[in-house]
Amino acid sequence: MATTLCVFCGSRKGANPRFEKVAFELGTAIAAQGSSLVYGGGSVGLMGAVAEGVMSAGGEVTGVIPESLFKAEVAHQQLTSLEVVPDMHARKARMASLADAFIALPGGIGTFEELFEIWTWAQLGYHDKPVALLNVDNFYGPLLEFLDHTRRQGFIQDQCRSLLRVDEEIPALLEQLNQAIDHSGNRWSPEKI
């Protein structure tokens, strides 16, 4: 089954050299399983690394970038397809419509915002596509602890928390997502957003 995976990640490389290495490896693994990538269209940081990984393994990559970032010349010009959209809202909606599942790598507030929005959309029933964290070197450990604290405090239900899949290893995470994609209806309701 050909799928498209959306990856949210930093436009910087981060302090840990493994972040960039794992982003590239995730890209090669996505292509190796016959999936394609949709992402934010950047050529820098982890964004550039995951795209390069997919392309180095012969996979297809669609970038979706807001016009302002395209004009700032951070767009990756060697992708299979690059879509320029008016703004960040259009970017996220377009990536969500193209994707069968979502993975967050390490990143900053933009990555967090994308992750939390797509997870919220799943909770609200706007889509039934799987959402996951690739917890590279326990980058997301403190966040996961906070989410568990929030659940214990009664603000996140167990059912919502279980919508967020987590693994530290690429093959195991991709297997989780592939199984979830097989059982989802791949429903997407942008009119509700």
Side-chain angles (χ1 to χ4, degrees):
M1 169 177 66
T3 59
T4 299
L5 302 182
C6 178
V7 175
F8 304 131
C9 58
S11 59
R12 297 179 182 197
K13 294 180 181 179
N16 183 341
R18 277 200 20 92
F19 296 159
E20 184 177 24
K21 179 179 184 296
V22 171
F24 186 88
E25 290 171 354
L26 175 62
T28 60
I30 287 170
Q33 74 172 17
S35 295
S36 60
L37 170 70
V38 62
Y39 83 116
S43 61
V44 295
L46 301 189
M47 293 175 72
V50 73
E52 290 294 330
V54 173
M55 292 185 301
S56 75
E60 295 189 359
V61 179
T62 298
V64 182
I65 194 164
E67 193 172 320
S68 62
L69 293 179
F70 182 80
K71 289 178 180 176
E73 299 181 352
V74 297
H76 199 306
Q77 299 294 332
Q78 307 300 318
L79 306 176
T80 310
S81 172
L82 180 64
E83 299 183 20
V84 181
V85 295
D87 54 39
M88 294 295 282
H89 294 291
R91 175 201 228 179
K92 291 181 293 183
R94 181 62 178 149
M95 290 192 305
S97 71
L98 293 172
D100 296 298
F102 306 89
I103 301 170
L105 284 168
I109 60 173
T111 302
F112 304 153
E113 189 266 342
E114 291 168 324
L115 168 67
F116 276 93
E117 185 167 60
I118 207 69
W119 185 21
T120 300
W121 291 354
Q123 177 195 12
L124 296 173
Y126 297 171
H127 71 84
D128 62 353
K129 302 174 182 185
V131 179
L133 293 176
L134 185 56
N135 193 19
V136 182
D137 287 354
N138 202 37
F139 176 82
Y140 283 110
L143 174 63
L144 294 169
E145 289 175 19
F146 179 70
L147 293 174
D148 289 338
H149 167 74
T150 307
R151 183 183 50 75
R152 288 190 302 272
Q153 295 301 313
F155 290 101
I156 297 178
Q157 295 178 332
D158 290 345
Q159 181 181 12
C160 176
R161 175 63 182 83
S162 70
L163 292 173
L164 184 63
R165 293 161 172 82
V166 181
D167 209 293
E168 296 176 1
E169 301 296 329
I170 293 170
L173 188 70
L174 291 179
E175 181 59 28
Q176 281 190 56
L177 292 178
N178 291 333
Q179 288 179 8
I181 290 168
D182 288 345
H183 293 95
S184 78
N186 205 8
R187 183 173 37 82
W188 168 243
S189 303
E191 66 278 356
K192 291 183 178 180
I193 296 170

